[in-house]
Amino acid sequence: MATQCCYIGKGIVYGRISGAPAAAVDFGNVSKLELAIQQEEKSVKDYRSGGGGTACSVIRISEVGANITMNCLSPANMARAMAGTTSVIAGATVAAASNPVVAYKGGFIPTAPGATSIVVTHASASPVYVANTDYVVTGSGITILTAGAITDGQSIRVGYTATALDAIDIITGAFGSYQMWLDGLNEMESGNPVLIEIYKFKFGPAAALALLGDDPSELAVTGKLEADTSKTGVGVSQYMKVKIKQ
């Protein structure tokens, strides 16, 4: 029998959609994986004596909540935490002639993150406007300069070259249920190996996603465990199994 009693868990969390014929992938740096068991109690008061009390009671598990905090904001994790989908936008050259836009002094016009070879012209293709005189290039677009030759409401053309991009669209479907493993260790027992399997972790939405701030962003997800009815037998859990090296 294992004799360890004190526990601080560390490790790598892997997961895949429950029942999917797919690899269990590394979720990256995860700072929290915990259960929050909620109970429902039914009781009958003791009416036989003046002191009161409880004659009998039953306690049932009403829900097994689960929380995971993912510190790796990969496209896949962002999609998991916000019911989204991911895609890859292939790198391409956008010809100025095929990208007409309306410009306003002081206004921002998006191109693509890290776009290069930016060309800005009049709608008729001439004149060609000058960077840092008529507009400035930002990380993902251009800003029209107030002192430049481009006027308010003017039609211009913007050409550029974009590299391949990861894209995440949020709230495009339902939250998934994941079969998950913690390939971990007990830091308080000299790194003794621990394997935890969660059969069906139903993700909920991330509590928040900091898009600007002073601290690193994280994806703090609150969900719940669902029963895996394929697990049967006396003493067999339908929710989770913990294995500890003796």
Side-chain angles (χ1 to χ4, degrees):
M1 294 292 289
T3 59
Q4 62 183 353
C5 58
C6 300
Y7 180 82
I8 295 177
K10 304 292 184 184
I12 301 172
V13 176
Y14 298 91
R16 65 185 173 199
I17 292 291
S18 297
V25 298
D26 184 349
F27 279 17
N29 195 26
V30 173
S31 60
K32 179 185 289 185
L33 181 61
E34 65 180 12
L35 303 184
I37 298 175
Q38 299 181 26
Q39 68 180 35
E40 175 188 19
E41 181 176 355
K42 301 289 186 180
S43 61
V44 177
K45 293 181 179 180
D46 183 357
Y47 296 98
R48 293 173 60 85
S49 63
T54 301
C56 52
S57 66
V58 62
I59 296 175
R60 303 174 182 141
I61 302 301
S62 59
E63 182 177 284
V64 182
N67 304 310
I68 182 171
T69 299
M70 298 178 288
N71 301 88
C72 175
L73 270 70
S74 65
N77 280 348
M78 292 177 69
R80 292 182 185 108
M82 295 184 286
T85 52
T86 63
S87 60
V88 174
I89 302 174
T93 296
V94 177
S98 65
N99 189 33
V101 296
V102 178
Y104 295 91
K105 287 184 178 293
F108 172 74
I109 296 172
T111 53
T116 60
S117 304
I118 295 174
V119 177
V120 181
T121 74
H122 188 275
S124 63
S126 180
V128 176
Y129 295 110
V130 180
N132 300 320
T133 298
D134 301 309
Y135 64 92
V136 292
V137 177
T138 69
S140 300
I142 64 172
T143 300
I144 308 302
L145 293 174
T146 56
I150 300 172
T151 60
D152 277 336
Q154 179 179 324
S155 294
I156 63 173
R157 299 177 179 180
V158 181
Y160 58 91
T161 298
T163 61
L165 303 170
D166 288 311
I168 307 101
D169 289 88
I170 70 169
I171 316 177
T172 59
F175 287 98
S177 291
Y178 292 86
Q179 183 181 13
M180 295 168 59
W181 290 265
L182 171 59
D183 182 2
L185 56 86
N186 184 352
E187 198 172 27
M188 296 193 75
E189 294 287 345
S190 303
N192 197 45
V194 177
L195 177 63
I196 298 174
E197 182 179 359
I198 298 173
Y199 302 135
K200 295 181 73 175
F201 185 139
K202 181 71 171 183
F203 268 44
L209 174 60
L211 302 178
L212 288 173
D214 294 320
D215 298 317
S217 294
E218 62 182 22
L219 296 166
V221 171
T222 298
K224 63 181 65 178
L225 301 194
E226 297 178 330
D228 181 350
T229 56
S230 69
K231 310 294 183 184
T232 59
V234 177
V236 176
S237 173
Q238 294 186 330
Y239 298 91
M240 187 179 81
K241 183 181 287 291
V242 179
K243 297 179 181 178
I244 304 169
K245 180 180 180 296
Q246 291 190 0

mmCIF file of all heavy atoms in Angstrom, residues 99-129:
data_model
loop_
_atom_site.group_PDB
_atom_site.id
_atom_site.type_symbol
_atom_site.label_atom_id
_atom_site.label_comp_id
_atom_site.label_asym_id
_atom_site.label_seq_id
_atom_site.Cartn_x
_atom_site.Cartn_y
_atom_site.Cartn_z
ATOM 1 N N ASN A 99 -7.936 45.601 -52.835
ATOM 2 C CA ASN A 99 -8.240 45.917 -51.445
ATOM 3 C C ASN A 99 -8.550 47.403 -51.268
ATOM 4 O O ASN A 99 -7.793 48.138 -50.632
ATOM 5 C CB ASN A 99 -7.062 45.512 -50.550
ATOM 6 C CG ASN A 99 -7.394 45.606 -49.071
ATOM 7 O OD1 ASN A 99 -8.529 45.377 -48.652
ATOM 8 N ND2 ASN A 99 -6.399 45.965 -48.268
ATOM 9 N N PRO A 100 -9.674 47.868 -51.834
ATOM 10 C CA PRO A 100 -10.046 49.279 -51.664
ATOM 11 C C PRO A 100 -10.631 49.532 -50.270
ATOM 12 O O PRO A 100 -11.390 48.699 -49.751
ATOM 13 C CB PRO A 100 -11.100 49.494 -52.742
ATOM 14 C CG PRO A 100 -11.726 48.144 -52.940
ATOM 15 C CD PRO A 100 -10.625 47.149 -52.707
ATOM 16 N N VAL A 101 -10.292 50.639 -49.660
ATOM 17 C CA VAL A 101 -10.814 51.009 -48.346
ATOM 18 C C VAL A 101 -11.059 52.503 -48.323
ATOM 19 O O VAL A 101 -10.551 53.253 -49.173
ATOM 20 C CB VAL A 101 -9.848 50.627 -47.203
ATOM 21 C CG1 VAL A 101 -9.683 49.120 -47.126
ATOM 22 C CG2 VAL A 101 -8.500 51.298 -47.391
ATOM 23 N N VAL A 102 -11.854 52.952 -47.367
ATOM 24 C CA VAL A 102 -12.107 54.381 -47.177
ATOM 25 C C VAL A 102 -11.274 54.854 -45.993
ATOM 26 O O VAL A 102 -11.311 54.251 -44.920
ATOM 27 C CB VAL A 102 -13.601 54.662 -46.936
ATOM 28 C CG1 VAL A 102 -13.827 56.148 -46.692
ATOM 29 C CG2 VAL A 102 -14.410 54.185 -48.129
ATOM 30 N N ALA A 103 -10.504 55.919 -46.198
ATOM 31 C CA ALA A 103 -9.570 56.397 -45.187
ATOM 32 C C ALA A 103 -10.082 57.676 -44.526
ATOM 33 O O ALA A 103 -10.810 58.460 -45.144
ATOM 34 C CB ALA A 103 -8.212 56.656 -45.820
ATOM 35 N N TYR A 104 -9.684 57.869 -43.276
ATOM 36 C CA TYR A 104 -9.978 59.093 -42.525
ATOM 37 C C TYR A 104 -8.722 59.490 -41.757
ATOM 38 O O TYR A 104 -7.995 58.647 -41.237
ATOM 39 C CB TYR A 104 -11.134 58.871 -41.544
ATOM 40 C CG TYR A 104 -12.439 58.571 -42.239
ATOM 41 C CD1 TYR A 104 -12.803 57.251 -42.515
ATOM 42 C CD2 TYR A 104 -13.298 59.593 -42.623
ATOM 43 C CE1 TYR A 104 -13.998 56.969 -43.157
ATOM 44 C CE2 TYR A 104 -14.495 59.319 -43.262
ATOM 45 C CZ TYR A 104 -14.835 58.007 -43.527
ATOM 46 O OH TYR A 104 -16.021 57.721 -44.182
ATOM 47 N N LYS A 105 -8.471 60.781 -41.720
ATOM 48 C CA LYS A 105 -7.295 61.298 -41.035
ATOM 49 C C LYS A 105 -7.297 60.839 -39.572
ATOM 50 O O LYS A 105 -8.315 60.951 -38.883
ATOM 51 C CB LYS A 105 -7.239 62.819 -41.121
ATOM 52 C CG LYS A 105 -6.852 63.345 -42.508
ATOM 53 C CD LYS A 105 -6.708 64.850 -42.505
ATOM 54 C CE LYS A 105 -6.275 65.372 -43.864
ATOM 55 N NZ LYS A 105 -4.896 64.941 -44.214
ATOM 56 N N GLY A 106 -6.176 60.329 -39.118
ATOM 57 C CA GLY A 106 -6.054 59.826 -37.759
ATOM 58 C C GLY A 106 -6.644 58.450 -37.555
ATOM 59 O O GLY A 106 -6.579 57.906 -36.454
ATOM 60 N N GLY A 107 -7.205 57.876 -38.608
ATOM 61 C CA GLY A 107 -7.883 56.589 -38.486
ATOM 62 C C GLY A 107 -6.971 55.407 -38.739
ATOM 63 O O GLY A 107 -5.959 55.502 -39.437
ATOM 64 N N PHE A 108 -7.357 54.281 -38.173
ATOM 65 C CA PHE A 108 -6.616 53.021 -38.309
ATOM 66 C C PHE A 108 -7.247 52.161 -39.387
ATOM 67 O O PHE A 108 -8.475 52.043 -39.483
ATOM 68 C CB PHE A 108 -6.628 52.274 -36.976
ATOM 69 C CG PHE A 108 -6.065 50.873 -37.037
ATOM 70 C CD1 PHE A 108 -4.702 50.667 -37.155
ATOM 71 C CD2 PHE A 108 -6.904 49.762 -36.962
ATOM 72 C CE1 PHE A 108 -4.170 49.381 -37.205
ATOM 73 C CE2 PHE A 108 -6.394 48.481 -37.005
ATOM 74 C CZ PHE A 108 -5.022 48.281 -37.127
ATOM 75 N N ILE A 109 -6.407 51.525 -40.205
ATOM 76 C CA ILE A 109 -6.861 50.583 -41.226
ATOM 77 C C ILE A 109 -6.106 49.274 -41.012
ATOM 78 O O ILE A 109 -4.875 49.248 -41.094
ATOM 79 C CB ILE A 109 -6.605 51.116 -42.644
ATOM 80 C CG1 ILE A 109 -7.428 52.390 -42.880
ATOM 81 C CG2 ILE A 109 -6.947 50.065 -43.690
ATOM 82 C CD1 ILE A 109 -7.110 53.107 -44.168
ATOM 83 N N PRO A 110 -6.797 48.173 -40.703
ATOM 84 C CA PRO A 110 -6.105 46.910 -40.439
ATOM 85 C C PRO A 110 -5.578 46.254 -41.711
ATOM 86 O O PRO A 110 -6.197 46.362 -42.779
ATOM 87 C CB PRO A 110 -7.187 46.049 -39.794
ATOM 88 C CG PRO A 110 -8.467 46.574 -40.358
ATOM 89 C CD PRO A 110 -8.260 48.055 -40.537
ATOM 90 N N THR A 111 -4.439 45.591 -41.581
ATOM 91 C CA THR A 111 -3.910 44.746 -42.655
ATOM 92 C C THR A 111 -3.856 43.308 -42.108
ATOM 93 O O THR A 111 -4.845 42.600 -42.147
ATOM 94 C CB THR A 111 -2.534 45.238 -43.125
ATOM 95 O OG1 THR A 111 -1.653 45.361 -42.000
ATOM 96 C CG2 THR A 111 -2.656 46.584 -43.824
ATOM 97 N N ALA A 112 -2.713 42.929 -41.557
ATOM 98 C CA ALA A 112 -2.546 41.623 -40.921
ATOM 99 C C ALA A 112 -1.388 41.729 -39.941
ATOM 100 O O ALA A 112 -0.469 42.530 -40.151
ATOM 101 C CB ALA A 112 -2.274 40.543 -41.967
ATOM 102 N N PRO A 113 -1.382 40.942 -38.877
ATOM 103 C CA PRO A 113 -0.262 40.990 -37.936
ATOM 104 C C PRO A 113 1.072 40.718 -38.643
ATOM 105 O O PRO A 113 1.232 39.694 -39.316
ATOM 106 C CB PRO A 113 -0.581 39.884 -36.937
ATOM 107 C CG PRO A 113 -2.072 39.769 -36.981
ATOM 108 C CD PRO A 113 -2.436 40.005 -38.418
ATOM 109 N N GLY A 114 2.000 41.657 -38.494
ATOM 110 C CA GLY A 114 3.321 41.488 -39.092
ATOM 111 C C GLY A 114 3.374 41.642 -40.587
ATOM 112 O O GLY A 114 4.328 41.181 -41.225
ATOM 113 N N ALA A 115 2.382 42.290 -41.186
ATOM 114 C CA ALA A 115 2.366 42.467 -42.641
ATOM 115 C C ALA A 115 3.597 43.251 -43.103
ATOM 116 O O ALA A 115 4.087 44.147 -42.421
ATOM 117 C CB ALA A 115 1.091 43.182 -43.069
ATOM 118 N N THR A 116 4.081 42.908 -44.294
ATOM 119 C CA THR A 116 5.235 43.585 -44.882
ATOM 120 C C THR A 116 4.883 44.064 -46.289
ATOM 121 O O THR A 116 3.792 43.801 -46.802
ATOM 122 C CB THR A 116 6.444 42.638 -44.947
ATOM 123 O OG1 THR A 116 6.100 41.495 -45.748
ATOM 124 C CG2 THR A 116 6.851 42.175 -43.556
ATOM 125 N N SER A 117 5.837 44.759 -46.905
ATOM 126 C CA SER A 117 5.686 45.244 -48.288
ATOM 127 C C SER A 117 4.386 46.012 -48.483
ATOM 128 O O SER A 117 3.638 45.793 -49.447
ATOM 129 C CB SER A 117 5.758 44.069 -49.284
ATOM 130 O OG SER A 117 6.954 43.347 -49.121
ATOM 131 N N ILE A 118 4.103 46.918 -47.545
ATOM 132 C CA ILE A 118 2.852 47.671 -47.591
ATOM 133 C C ILE A 118 2.932 48.779 -48.632
ATOM 134 O O ILE A 118 3.902 49.543 -48.689
ATOM 135 C CB ILE A 118 2.537 48.252 -46.203
ATOM 136 C CG1 ILE A 118 2.267 47.097 -45.220
ATOM 137 C CG2 ILE A 118 1.348 49.196 -46.249
ATOM 138 C CD1 ILE A 118 2.083 47.520 -43.788
ATOM 139 N N VAL A 119 1.903 48.843 -49.478
ATOM 140 C CA VAL A 119 1.793 49.865 -50.522
ATOM 141 C C VAL A 119 0.424 50.521 -50.388
ATOM 142 O O VAL A 119 -0.602 49.839 -50.321
ATOM 143 C CB VAL A 119 1.953 49.258 -51.933
ATOM 144 C CG1 VAL A 119 1.751 50.334 -52.999
ATOM 145 C CG2 VAL A 119 3.319 48.604 -52.088
ATOM 146 N N VAL A 120 0.409 51.843 -50.337
ATOM 147 C CA VAL A 120 -0.844 52.595 -50.235
ATOM 148 C C VAL A 120 -0.922 53.555 -51.410
ATOM 149 O O VAL A 120 -0.008 54.354 -51.632
ATOM 150 C CB VAL A 120 -0.904 53.371 -48.897
ATOM 151 C CG1 VAL A 120 -2.234 54.127 -48.783
ATOM 152 C CG2 VAL A 120 -0.730 52.426 -47.715
ATOM 153 N N THR A 121 -2.026 53.470 -52.157
ATOM 154 C CA THR A 121 -2.193 54.329 -53.330
ATOM 155 C C THR A 121 -3.566 54.994 -53.320
ATOM 156 O O THR A 121 -4.467 54.594 -52.569
ATOM 157 C CB THR A 121 -2.059 53.525 -54.637
ATOM 158 O OG1 THR A 121 -3.240 52.732 -54.836
ATOM 159 C CG2 THR A 121 -0.825 52.629 -54.614
ATOM 160 N N HIS A 122 -3.722 55.959 -54.188
ATOM 161 C CA HIS A 122 -5.036 56.539 -54.471
ATOM 162 C C HIS A 122 -5.905 55.460 -55.111
ATOM 163 O O HIS A 122 -5.394 54.470 -55.663
ATOM 164 C CB HIS A 122 -4.861 57.738 -55.412
ATOM 165 C CG HIS A 122 -6.114 58.537 -55.619
ATOM 166 N ND1 HIS A 122 -7.057 58.200 -56.564
ATOM 167 C CD2 HIS A 122 -6.570 59.657 -54.995
ATOM 168 C CE1 HIS A 122 -8.048 59.077 -56.525
ATOM 169 N NE2 HIS A 122 -7.773 59.976 -55.581
ATOM 170 N N ALA A 123 -7.213 55.645 -55.085
ATOM 171 C CA ALA A 123 -8.127 54.660 -55.671
ATOM 172 C C ALA A 123 -7.871 54.462 -57.160
ATOM 173 O O ALA A 123 -8.162 53.396 -57.715
ATOM 174 C CB ALA A 123 -9.573 55.087 -55.443
ATOM 175 N N SER A 124 -7.290 55.462 -57.812
ATOM 176 C CA SER A 124 -6.979 55.363 -59.247
ATOM 177 C C SER A 124 -5.586 54.796 -59.486
ATOM 178 O O SER A 124 -5.123 54.769 -60.626
ATOM 179 C CB SER A 124 -7.083 56.744 -59.893
ATOM 180 O OG SER A 124 -6.120 57.627 -59.329
ATOM 181 N N ALA A 125 -4.918 54.358 -58.407
ATOM 182 C CA ALA A 125 -3.566 53.785 -58.439
ATOM 183 C C ALA A 125 -2.464 54.837 -58.439
ATOM 184 O O ALA A 125 -1.282 54.507 -58.290
ATOM 185 C CB ALA A 125 -3.369 52.831 -59.614
ATOM 186 N N SER A 126 -2.810 56.086 -58.590
ATOM 187 C CA SER A 126 -1.819 57.160 -58.556
ATOM 188 C C SER A 126 -2.460 58.386 -57.893
ATOM 189 O O SER A 126 -3.622 58.709 -58.181
ATOM 190 C CB SER A 126 -1.356 57.518 -59.975
ATOM 191 O OG SER A 126 -0.401 58.546 -59.943
ATOM 192 N N PRO A 127 -1.775 59.042 -56.952
ATOM 193 C CA PRO A 127 -0.383 58.813 -56.560
ATOM 194 C C PRO A 127 -0.215 57.651 -55.591
ATOM 195 O O PRO A 127 -1.183 57.134 -55.045
ATOM 196 C CB PRO A 127 -0.007 60.131 -55.885
ATOM 197 C CG PRO A 127 -1.299 60.567 -55.251
ATOM 198 C CD PRO A 127 -2.364 60.188 -56.252
ATOM 199 N N VAL A 128 1.053 57.282 -55.403
ATOM 200 C CA VAL A 128 1.425 56.324 -54.368
ATOM 201 C C VAL A 128 1.798 57.126 -53.122
ATOM 202 O O VAL A 128 2.649 58.016 -53.179
ATOM 203 C CB VAL A 128 2.609 55.460 -54.815
ATOM 204 C CG1 VAL A 128 3.049 54.527 -53.687
ATOM 205 C CG2 VAL A 128 2.241 54.646 -56.054
ATOM 206 N N TYR A 129 1.136 56.819 -52.004
ATOM 207 C CA TYR A 129 1.371 57.597 -50.795
ATOM 208 C C TYR A 129 2.638 57.123 -50.074
ATOM 209 O O TYR A 129 3.091 55.979 -50.246
ATOM 210 C CB TYR A 129 0.144 57.521 -49.887
ATOM 211 C CG TYR A 129 -1.067 58.167 -50.521
ATOM 212 C CD1 TYR A 129 -2.146 57.402 -50.962
ATOM 213 C CD2 TYR A 129 -1.103 59.545 -50.713
ATOM 214 C CE1 TYR A 129 -3.241 57.998 -51.564
ATOM 215 C CE2 TYR A 129 -2.196 60.150 -51.311
ATOM 216 C CZ TYR A 129 -3.257 59.366 -51.740
ATOM 217 O OH TYR A 129 -4.336 59.958 -52.353
#
